[in-house]
Every structure is written in C-alpha cells, then in structure tokens.
Amino acid sequence: MNKLLDKFGIEIESELSLLIEKNQFIKILSKHLDIDKFNLFEIFSKSNNKYKGTIEANNLVIKRKRRLFGSRFVIKAKGSFSQDDDSLNIKFHVTSWNWYVTVMYVFIAIFYFIVFLVLFTSMTNSKIEWVLFPLILLHMLLMIGGPLLLLKKATKLGEQQLRTDLIDFIHTSKNRLT
C-alpha cells in the first residue's frame, strides 16, 4: 500500500537540515505543538498553534490542526532527527491518507459494485443500458481519481508548509533570544 501511495504522490519522504542543537529544537517545537488528542471541536480551539503532536528525544509525530476554513485533508508527518556536529538533520514522512479516506474508498467500491451488478444482471439488448455503461465507468474513474489528485496536492502543499513552518519557528525563536 505504501508503494502505491508513494507512486501517486500521496506520501512524501523529505529531509531538512537546520543549524540548531537538538535540545533547543525540541524546546522550540514543543512550544508550537498542542497535545495530540481526539477533539471533535478542534476547529474551535482557542490555541494559536498550527500543529498538534508529540516530540520525543529522536522522533516526532505532527499533524496540522484543522481550521474552520482550512484544508479538508489532515496532513500527518512522522519523522526522526539526529544531531551532526552543528546541524540537526530531520527526516520526515508526510501523508494525507488516513482512516476516513479509506472508509470513503470502501463506500465508493461498494456503491460501484452494486451499480455494475445491477447493470449487468438487468442488461438486455437495449441500447440504453449499453450507453449507460461507459458513462458510469467514466463517473467511477472521476470519483476515484478526483480525490486522489486532491490528496496529492494536499500532501505536497502540506510538506512545503511544514518545512516553511519549522524554519520559521527556529528563526523567530532565535531572533527572540538575541
């Protein structure tokens, strides 16, 4: 499944190198993260933090918080980081695929299975049913391909936004210290 998602661009591997110490990075990023817990009313949160998640000694899991008029897709990044001399190397894996996208595709598959089953069992030599088949097939391809394209775009934009935000968190915190 992961290879298929990589091929469609729904999962992206990325690296980032920052000139900061690991302990400082953990402290700075912790200030910009809310605790990752299920919250049905997350869009009404009073917190100004853009992300929620956890950060440990060498690992991080970050999700972009949902906003009222924000993206429809939740972007999740899992990664690890290590200190090399004076730079911190961060490797992370960004995806927009989650359980409710899987549920959506299961419902799409069941729906089209039933449609094709009804179409083939009731098909006669009538021209109307033979005209419906390519139209239903086209509709199915659009219903499957459309969300995949949106997920690909959301993943790419989410990865770019995460990179920008991580760099911005570091630079604004360093400027406050000096």
Side-chain angles (χ1 to χ4, degrees):
M1 182 78 164
N2 287 342
K3 289 182 182 180
L4 187 63
L5 295 177
D6 280 340
K7 187 174 183 179
F8 285 124
I10 297 172
E11 291 186 351
I12 298 174
E13 296 283 337
S14 189
E15 293 185 24
L16 181 63
S17 184
L18 300 170
L19 295 173
I20 191 169
E21 290 183 24
K22 185 164 65 169
N23 294 334
Q24 240 183 341
F25 174 74
I26 292 171
K27 190 166 82 171
I28 291 170
L29 190 58
S30 296
K31 290 179 185 177
H32 295 279
L33 290 178
D34 286 341
I35 297 170
D36 187 16
K37 60 182 179 181
F38 179 75
N39 185 358
L40 193 59
F41 302 106
E42 178 179 59
I43 58 173
F44 302 113
S45 172
K46 292 181 181 180
S47 172
N48 290 330
N49 293 339
K50 291 182 183 180
Y51 296 95
K52 64 180 185 175
T54 57
I55 184 166
E56 297 171 358
N58 292 318
N59 300 317
L60 59 95
V61 177
I62 300 174
K63 291 181 193 174
R64 188 156 176 90
K65 284 176 57 177
R66 293 183 190 192
R67 297 289 180 192
L68 188 57
F69 299 107
S71 174
R72 292 177 291 243
F73 302 106
V74 175
I75 306 303
K76 185 176 184 178
K78 291 182 180 180
S80 62
F81 48 91
S82 60
Q83 187 78 40
D84 289 336
D85 296 328
D86 61 342
S87 68
L88 182 70
N89 296 322
I90 306 168
K91 295 179 183 179
F92 53 95
H93 178 85
V94 181
T95 186
S96 57
W97 190 272
N98 51 36
W99 67 270
Y100 56 86
V101 176
T102 305
V103 170
M104 178 187 73
Y105 276 110
V106 166
F107 280 122
I108 288 173
I110 291 170
F111 173 77
Y112 283 109
F113 176 75
I114 293 170
V115 167
F116 283 123
L117 188 67
V118 168
L119 188 66
F120 285 128
T121 57
S122 68
M123 198 174 274
T124 60
N125 288 335
S126 173
K127 289 184 179 181
I128 294 175
E129 283 127 359
W130 287 106
V131 170
L132 284 177
F133 179 72
L135 293 175
I136 292 173
L137 191 63
L138 177 67
H139 187 266
M140 181 184 77
L141 292 174
L142 290 174
M143 291 299 292
I144 292 171
L148 285 177
L149 292 174
L150 291 174
L151 286 169
K152 180 179 180 176
K153 182 178 178 183
T155 303
K156 189 172 184 176
L157 289 175
E159 186 261 342
Q160 291 172 351
Q161 186 68 41
L162 180 62
R163 284 176 154 276
T164 305
D165 287 342
L166 286 175
I167 293 169
D168 187 48
F169 294 158
I170 302 304
H171 287 289
T172 55
S173 296
K174 280 186 175 180
N175 288 341
R176 288 181 190 159
L177 296 174
T178 58

